[in-house]
Amino acid sequence: MLTAVYPGSFDPLTYGHLDIITRAAACYDELHVVVFSNSEKNPMFSVEERVHMLQSTCGHFPNVVVSSSSGLLVDYAKKHDIRVIVKGLRAVSDFDYEFKMALMNKQLAPEIETVFMITSLQYLYLSSSLVKEVASYGGKIADLVPPAVEKMVMDKIQTMK
Ligand code: ADP
């Protein structure tokens, strides 16, 4: 059985993430989609809210497991006997950071491979931070995130006012 992990902050989940999840779930027997909370400074959503967001959107994938972690990605992978890390790549701007992370993870755990999936063209410029920015100025985000996420973002913005 070949299991992969797709890590991210998912703050919030976008159609760009969902595209990678859909494609990766078709490539591996099992895909762990894991909310990592260590890197972002001021998240809009708590880890629990992001896990809930992923669970309510990925429920129809029989081989997708949603969870969270605050430790090292390679430690999560080792603990669950996972040999593949899936990352999404948008523009060149993602490349430098992802390259650095992949090399560091290789050094920490040489038996684990990082696999990059190139974004689908329509999601090239889609990021969680862009979604938050557009929504905070009252812009429409229905084309950028699933309906359940759109509602969570709108509700959160109301409570922040
Ligand atoms: P963001 O940069 O949007 O805050 P995350 O940390 O949640 O992203 O991203 C998790 C993973 O998903 C990363 O590998 C990132 O490159 C990838 N990703 C994010 N948005 C997209 C997209 N629109 N297309 C392809 N991959 C994406």
Side-chain angles (χ1 to χ4, degrees), residues 66-138:
V66 176
S67 64
S68 63
S69 173
S70 56
L72 273 181
L73 172 58
V74 290
D75 287 342
Y76 180 93
K78 283 181 191 168
K79 188 173 165 201
H80 294 87
D81 209 15
I82 294 174
R83 291 292 183 85
V84 180
I85 297 168
V86 172
K87 293 307 227 31
L89 270 189
R90 284 160 293 192
V92 186
S93 50
D94 279 345
F95 187 80
D96 194 40
Y97 176 76
E98 295 294 354
F99 195 79
K100 211 165 50 188
M101 287 302 290
L103 284 178
M104 179 50 73
N105 285 333
K106 194 77 194 156
Q107 193 165 322
L108 295 170
E111 71 281 13
I112 300 175
E113 293 296 340
T114 301
V115 169
F116 290 104
M117 272 190 181
I118 302 296
T119 182
S120 295
L121 201 52
Q122 70 266 41
Y123 305 128
L124 182 59
Y125 296 107
L126 181 50
S127 68
S128 298
S129 45
L130 195 63
V131 167
K132 286 183 274 194
E133 199 175 335
V134 169
S136 70
Y137 290 110

